Amino acid sequence: MTDPFSIRGQVAVITGGSGVLGREMALALARAGAKVVVLSRGLASCERVVAAIQQEGGQAWAFACDVTVRADLERVQAEITRTLGPVSILVNAAGGNRAQATTSPELPFFALDEQAISETFQLNFTGTLLACQVFGQGMAEQGAGCIVNISSMASLRPLTRVVSYGAAKAAINNFTQWLAVYLAREYSPRIRVNALAPGFFLTEQNRFLMLDPQGGYTARGQAILDHTPAGRFGEPADLTGALLWLVSPAASFVTGIVVPIDGGFSAFSGV
């Protein structure tokens, strides 16, 4: 019998693959038998993830790539295709926030840094769009493929402070649905596009919002836990089950959806 969850032998590219969440997703794809290509701005950080995959017996390659620069993406795409073959899975995990684009008592909305706002939006949304253009074109040519964008709970429930980040992630949700329809109708229904919306996970980009300098919870961090029925922050491994489902044949009739991975946060009204 064939395994409906098998992705063995497929070439999977993950942007932002050296981050806290991206690393875990890269490891999960490799454990499932995919040939994993890890992309991020820093080659050394990518190589550390590749080494961890290879230590477990998986197959992985590292490339430095700025997802906000189309020429970078095109260079990497050409090299991957030449050495490994067509890319059939793309996971867009590159993203993050900027403190200068985040409101606080000391930094009101009216004084947010314009460059930080732009950089946050470009990294989260434009980088996702460009990667979908560059790698999605190959999927369109071969008539098959799977894209998973990484959104955020901030896209579904407007959150205080993270104005540019939330707007960019909301744009990803709309874009995910748009691209799912476009690729299926214009090219092939065997090309699927979905998104994961993680709830609250501790990462390098949001740690300053969740924890105080002593390592305790900030008021914001405690409020999040109080509104999360699961009673904890997410662990990176919490994303992998849904990811492996979405990229596998088991989800062959699933496209254009955004899946919350949030411990029940989006279901809880607070009362």
Side-chain angles (χ1 to χ4, degrees):
M1 296 179 63
T2 58
D3 181 358
F5 293 93
S6 176
I7 57 170
R8 185 165 299 280
Q10 295 189 43
V11 178
V13 171
I14 178 165
T15 72
S18 64
V20 172
L21 303 184
R23 181 183 188 276
E24 192 66 30
M25 289 188 283
L27 284 162
L29 291 167
R31 289 166 183 156
K35 301 175 182 178
V36 179
V37 180
V38 181
L39 306 184
S40 76
R41 287 175 174 168
L43 183 60
S45 59
C46 289
E47 289 176 336
R48 287 192 288 271
V49 178
V50 167
I53 290 172
Q54 292 175 339
Q55 189 172 10
E56 293 186 0
Q59 301 180 75
W61 292 260
F63 291 91
C65 180
D66 185 340
V67 295
T68 66
V69 179
R70 186 185 180 97
D72 250 20
L73 288 161
E74 290 174 338
R75 169 185 56 81
V76 168
Q77 189 270 347
E79 189 167 350
I80 294 169
T81 302
R82 182 170 58 252
T83 57
L84 299 176
V87 173
S88 54
I89 296 170
L90 170 65
V91 180
N92 284 306
N97 194 21
R98 299 283 189 274
Q100 297 83 359
T102 304
T103 63
S104 69
E106 299 75 31
L107 186 61
F109 166 74
F110 311 103
L112 292 179
D113 182 74
E114 182 179 353
Q115 183 174 350
I117 291 171
S118 178
E119 288 176 352
T120 301
F121 198 88
Q122 288 178 357
L123 176 59
N124 289 280
F125 177 70
T126 308
T128 294
L129 184 147
L130 290 176
C132 287
Q133 283 186 313
V134 171
F135 291 101
Q137 184 171 359
M139 296 178 185
E141 291 169 355
Q142 65 200 38
C146 180
I147 298 172
V148 176
N149 297 323
I150 303 303
S151 179
S152 167
M153 193 49 46
S155 72
L156 301 173
R157 301 285 298 271
L159 306 177
T160 60
R161 301 186 63 180
V162 289
V163 54
S164 184
Y165 178 82
K169 292 300 190 179
I172 283 178
N173 291 1
N174 183 282
F175 172 63
T176 295
Q177 294 179 313
W178 183 90
L179 189 61
V181 174
Y182 176 77
L183 290 176
R185 299 195 67 169
E186 298 290 333
Y187 293 95
S188 170
R190 296 177 60 224
I191 307 172
R192 300 181 297 106
V193 186
N194 295 291
L196 296 177
F200 297 90
F201 294 69
L202 286 176
T203 67
E204 295 307 314
Q205 289 85 4
N206 69 11
R207 190 172 295 272
F208 74 99
L209 288 169
M210 305 294 198
L211 302 178
D212 61 29
Q214 290 72 43
Y217 298 132
T218 62
R220 184 184 183 87
Q222 188 60 56
I224 287 167
L225 290 177
D226 291 342
H227 286 78
T228 301
R232 63 176 177 86
F233 290 123
E235 298 289 340
D238 292 328
L239 296 175
T240 59
L243 173 68
L244 294 176
W245 167 60
L246 286 176
V247 300
S248 76
S252 63
F253 198 53
V254 179
T255 195
I257 68 168
V258 180
V259 182
I261 312 293
D262 66 350
F265 181 91
S266 59
F268 184 39
S269 67
V271 290

